[in-house]
């Protein structure tokens, strides 16, 4: 009788574990199958994945707030990465929003002087800046970008956004072809869901040059409105075909380390 009870308990724990693991694994597929008949069913499974991820994040933040762990975490920080924030204090000193391109140009030149190797700008530049003096802000900014990459070892990365595939079959902007992600596919059907470049938010022509990288900044919004997932690559339509392109984080890693990772699908 005791053996029977232990067996039932073990079987119950195993089934619960398999169910939770299967739900989490299937929820990953939900993002690719959202537009199929399986989408609504798989959408229920993402609830378990989202709660599990929230629990992990909450646990991590609790450890960060713990003073006993703060010094340990600080010692593990990557010393080669610096985050430059646009905060209220910065805006009060600059005095205008949006921040003038001339300030962006000054920042790029200062970062070059400080020895930065890669600058990843999580900022969109879809429109020309107004000219209010003898110097065109866009030309000044473009000159700063060119100066930064003049040594052939440093680079600035600009960003663009992607949208869901609308079936337009429009060709990709030629400037993107310098940043194709190295990839291999195990079969003709092994492809990520296609997307298209949002041309309305694409950088202006003045800033596009071979020395300047281009990467997307797209994230997946979950059903509860929270952004928990980040697209490390995007499968962008190019006419009848498509190609993979890196995110801002991935291209920054490539340019900094010199290591070109290979995407396997």
């Amino acid at each position: 009788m005791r053996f029977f009870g232990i067996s039932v308990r073990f079987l119950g724990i195993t089934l619960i574990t398999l169910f939770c693991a299967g739900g989490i694994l299937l929820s990953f597929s939900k993002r690719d199958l959202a537009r199929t008949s399986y989408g609504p069913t798989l959408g229920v499974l993402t609830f378990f994945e989202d709660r599990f991820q929230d629990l992990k994040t909450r646990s991590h933040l609790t450890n960060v707030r713990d003073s006993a762990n703060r010094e340990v975490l600080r010692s593990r920080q990557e010393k080669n990465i610096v985050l430059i924030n646009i905060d209220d204090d910065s805006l009060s000193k600059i005095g205008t929003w949006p921040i003038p391109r001339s300030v962006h140009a000054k920042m790029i030149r200062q970062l070059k002087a400080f020895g930065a190797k890669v600058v990843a700008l999580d900022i969109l530049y879809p429109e020309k800046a107004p000219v209010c003096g003898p110097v065109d802000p866009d030309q000044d900014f473009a000159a700063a970008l060119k100066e930064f990459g003049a040594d052939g070892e440093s680079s600035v990365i600009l960003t663009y956004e992607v949208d869901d595939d609308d079936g337009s079959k429009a060709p990709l902007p030629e400037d993107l072809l310098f940043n194709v992600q190295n990839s291999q596919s195990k079969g003709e059907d092994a492809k990520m869901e296609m997307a298209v470049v949002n041309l309305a938010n694409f950088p202006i022509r003045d800033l596009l040059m071979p020395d300047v990288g281009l990467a997307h900044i797209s994230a997946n919004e979950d059903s509860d409105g929270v952004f928990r997932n980040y697209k490390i690559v995007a499968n962008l339509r190019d006419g009848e075909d498509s190609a993979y392109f890196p995110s801002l984080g991935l291209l920054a890693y490539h340019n900094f380390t010199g290591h070109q990772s290979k995407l396997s699908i």
Side-chain angles (χ1 to χ4, degrees):
M1 200 63 186
R2 182 181 178 185
F3 175 77
F4 177 76
I6 294 175
S7 300
V8 171
R9 183 181 301 175
F10 176 78
L11 179 62
I13 293 174
T14 302
L15 290 175
I16 292 173
T17 303
L18 289 175
F19 175 78
C20 293
I24 291 173
L25 290 173
L26 284 173
S27 69
F28 294 154
S29 303
K30 186 260 180 183
R31 294 176 176 81
D32 295 323
L33 300 174
R35 291 171 184 79
T36 69
S37 58
Y38 301 103
T41 302
L42 290 176
V44 177
L45 297 176
T46 60
F47 174 84
F48 296 101
E49 181 204 356
D50 292 345
R51 300 292 84 73
F52 180 70
Q53 190 165 339
D54 290 346
L55 182 63
K56 283 204 319 181
T57 302
R58 193 175 295 114
S59 174
H60 173 72
L61 292 176
T62 300
N63 288 334
V64 170
R65 295 189 190 101
D66 187 348
S67 58
N69 296 324
R70 200 168 297 162
E71 289 302 320
V72 176
L73 292 170
R74 187 176 288 117
S75 66
R76 296 176 182 172
Q77 279 184 331
E78 174 55 64
K79 302 298 190 297
N80 290 318
I81 298 176
V82 176
L83 180 63
I84 301 177
N85 291 319
I86 300 174
D87 55 16
D88 292 337
D89 185 51
S90 302
L91 293 177
S92 64
K93 292 178 180 177
I94 295 171
T96 60
W97 176 263
I99 297 174
R101 300 271 166 87
S102 57
V103 176
H104 293 197
K106 182 180 179 181
M107 177 188 70
I108 294 296
R109 291 187 174 105
Q110 286 183 332
L111 290 173
K112 180 68 174 179
F114 293 155
K117 183 178 180 181
V118 177
V119 175
L121 292 170
D122 192 0
I123 303 172
L124 298 172
Y125 299 97
E127 300 174 344
K128 291 185 68 66
V131 180
C132 302
V135 179
D136 185 330
D138 289 331
Q139 294 301 320
D140 186 31
F141 186 38
L145 298 180
K146 190 171 184 178
E147 293 165 13
F148 192 93
D151 60 3
E153 297 180 357
S154 307
S155 63
V156 178
I157 304 173
L158 302 182
T159 53
Y160 61 93
E161 293 181 329
V162 301
D163 294 328
D164 294 336
D165 183 19
D166 56 7
S168 61
K169 299 182 181 179
L172 285 170
E174 292 184 2
D175 301 276
L176 272 182
L177 301 181
F178 293 101
N179 299 282
V180 177
Q181 170 65 36
N182 187 15
S183 63
Q184 66 176 12
S185 176
K186 295 181 179 179
E188 195 64 34
D189 297 329
K191 287 186 177 181
M192 290 175 58
E193 184 179 359
M194 273 197 263
V196 294
V197 176
N198 184 334
L199 296 177
N201 287 327
F202 205 70
I204 59 173
R205 170 57 52 187
D206 294 352
L207 306 181
L208 299 177
M209 56 192 80
D211 294 334
V212 175
L214 288 170
H216 69 83
I217 47 170
S218 300
N220 295 318
E221 181 181 4
D222 292 324
S223 58
D224 57 359
V226 177
F227 288 88
R228 297 182 179 88
N229 299 277
Y230 177 74
K231 288 184 178 180
I232 198 72
V233 294
N235 184 23
L236 299 182
R237 177 181 287 281
D238 185 16
E240 295 287 348
D241 205 352
S242 68
Y244 292 94
F245 292 85
S247 63
L248 180 62
L250 182 58
L251 186 58
Y253 168 78
H254 287 171
N255 291 1
F256 182 77
T257 64
H259 172 68
Q260 300 296 314
S261 57
K262 189 171 186 178
L263 174 68
S264 297
I265 302 176

